[in-house]
Amino acid sequence: MTFGCSKDSPINPLGGCFAGNWAEQYANELTDWTNAATAYSADPTPANCSKYKTSAKNYLDALREVAKCMPTADRSEINASINEAKAEVDKEGCD
């Protein structure tokens, strides 16, 4: 069984939404963030902190892309949460 990105598909009514496989769209960014968190925890250098913050924001950006596939009513709340999370990442110090 295969599914396309047609807006006529019941599992992909918005079309162009990664054929309904949303997790695949942020899996690499989540892995990168996890690896960066592990590296920073083991060796809390400014360089590792920077990688941690960058990978966290990349993950949040990937989630925002997936959120575009959500119904419009849900998007504003999701985007607000992503913006709040990015602000928290920015506030974190590297000391």
Side-chain angles (χ1 to χ4, degrees):
M1 179 184 289
T2 60
F3 295 97
C5 292
S6 168
K7 290 186 182 219
D8 296 331
S9 170
I11 66 164
N12 191 24
L14 299 176
C17 286
F18 321 113
N21 189 359
W22 298 350
E24 188 176 292
Q25 295 310 120
Y26 60 80
N28 290 340
E29 288 83 357
L30 180 57
T31 298
D32 290 346
W33 186 25
T34 301
N35 291 340
T38 300
Y40 182 56
S41 178
D43 185 16
T45 63
N48 282 342
C49 180
S50 178
K51 288 177 187 174
Y52 171 80
K53 292 173 99 172
T54 298
S55 61
K57 289 196 250 182
N58 288 343
Y59 169 67
L60 293 166
D61 287 339
L63 288 180
R64 190 182 310 275
E65 287 301 310
V66 171
K68 291 178 182 175
C69 296
M70 306 282 182
T72 304
D74 298 332
R75 271 189 238 156
S76 63
E77 186 175 331
I78 292 167
N79 280 326
S81 295
I82 290 170
N83 290 341
E84 184 179 320
K86 285 179 117 178
E88 289 294 319
V89 169
D90 285 337
K91 282 187 350 187
E92 283 295 316
C94 287
D95 45 357

